[in-house]
Amino acid sequence: MTLKALSFTLLFVMGTMMVSIWQKLGLEKDIAVGTVRSAVQLLIVGYVLQFIFNADHIIYIILIILFMIVVASWNAAKRGKGLPGLFWRIALAISASEVLMMGILLGLHIIKATPQYIIPISGMTIGSAMVVSGLFINHIKQEVQSNKGEIETLLSLGATAQQAMQKVRASSVKFSMIPTIDGMKTVGLVQLPGMMTGMIIAGADPIIAVRYQILIVFSFTASAAITSMLLSVLIYRLFFTAGLQLKR
């Protein structure tokens, strides 16, 4: 795609801003800022990836994956303000998911050990884990508040924190997995996923593109499940005091 053709896509943004002004929605500033930020961020990432691909050194691959994990963990942790140590727990869960998934993909030679494969797949996997983490934290906070009486009753009867939170943890894991599972059920029917579409537009054989997309879907699902389950183990104690009482 030429720069001239790319510039024409600004017509979509301008049209959206005009509708916002016409309907007095007040979204035009956010749309403008989002447009500029997304363009700048993507251009920077493009040049960074070009450098890493050309260098083809393991240290650069590790650094950019660590950067992705930090940003994803920080973004998800914003959902749980007031919970100490949440950032590091999310980072641990996402890191464990990334190491396990990439270990399997590389160990079984499913993908090539090159930046062109490792970085994009890691980025999509970490992004999926970030969304799951945010959903999990939002839901578990709401569930703890809604089931406060039941949790305190169980504690008074001698239940451990783990036992008292079992129902809340299970509900939060299921809730955080809903978008991923729904996406699996409708992939290819409701939408053509981004990676598959990009490969087809770039001229790849549709069957080859589908194979890679299946790889991504399965990786997403496993990553989401692992991240959510690990968070359910790492986070529930943050809602209790040292004396095993629910924090107010």
Side-chain angles (χ1 to χ4, degrees):
M1 180 184 292
T2 64
L3 288 176
K4 180 179 179 181
L6 183 61
S7 65
F8 287 148
T9 60
L10 289 174
L11 293 173
F12 297 119
V13 177
M14 294 173 61
T16 305
M17 293 175 66
M18 290 176 64
V19 171
S20 175
I21 295 172
W22 173 44
Q23 293 292 322
K24 296 182 174 62
L25 300 177
L27 295 174
E28 51 273 12
K29 181 179 178 180
D30 290 335
I31 294 172
V33 171
T35 300
V36 174
R37 282 191 58 177
S38 61
V40 172
Q41 288 168 187
L42 287 173
L43 285 171
I44 292 173
V45 168
Y47 285 113
V48 170
L49 290 179
Q50 186 180 57
F51 169 77
I52 294 174
F53 290 174
N54 291 333
D56 196 13
H57 197 289
I58 185 64
I59 190 63
Y60 294 127
I61 299 174
I62 293 174
L63 286 175
I64 195 168
I65 290 176
L66 287 175
F67 176 76
M68 291 176 183
I69 291 173
V70 169
V71 173
S73 303
W74 174 76
N75 188 63
K78 292 191 296 184
R79 307 285 184 178
K81 291 182 179 179
L83 296 176
L86 182 60
F87 169 84
W88 297 109
R89 286 168 172 79
I90 296 174
L92 177 59
I94 294 178
S95 298
S97 172
E98 165 66 10
V99 169
L100 179 60
M101 295 307 304
M102 200 50 60
I104 293 174
L105 293 175
L106 293 175
L108 297 179
H109 303 290
I110 298 173
I111 63 172
K112 297 178 181 178
T114 61
Q116 287 87 342
Y117 285 89
I118 296 174
I119 294 175
I121 293 177
S122 292
M124 288 185 283
T125 303
I126 293 169
S128 174
M130 176 189 69
V131 173
V132 167
S133 298
L135 290 172
F136 178 88
I137 293 164
N138 266 342
H139 194 71
I140 196 170
K141 287 175 62 180
Q142 295 172 2
E143 285 292 288
V144 168
Q145 185 63 30
S146 301
N147 295 276
K148 182 171 59 176
E150 180 179 341
I151 294 171
E152 291 179 334
T153 300
L154 289 171
L155 291 173
S156 67
L157 293 174
T160 63
Q162 182 177 1
Q163 292 170 334
M165 289 284 284
Q166 180 58 37
K167 177 182 175 182
V168 169
R169 290 167 58 200
S171 173
S172 300
V173 170
K174 291 178 182 178
F175 180 83
S176 66
M177 287 292 295
I178 288 175
T180 303
I181 295 173
D182 284 350
M184 287 186 70
K185 293 177 179 177
T186 59
V187 65
L189 300 177
V190 177
Q191 62 172 340
L192 294 179
M195 183 177 186
M196 174 181 163
T197 303
M199 290 183 67
I200 292 174
I201 292 174
D205 187 318
I207 302 300
I208 300 298
V210 166
R211 290 177 183 174
Y212 275 103
Q213 189 59 56
I214 291 173
L215 164 66
I216 295 302
V217 169
F218 290 173
S219 299
F220 274 13
T221 305
S223 173
I226 293 168
T227 302
S228 184
M229 292 175 187
L230 282 175
L231 285 177
S232 75
V233 174
L234 296 171
I235 287 179
Y236 75 93
R237 283 300 303 239
L238 297 180
F239 292 93
F240 296 91
T241 64
L244 206 60
Q245 295 177 320
L246 272 180
K247 292 180 180 178
R248 300 297 179 183

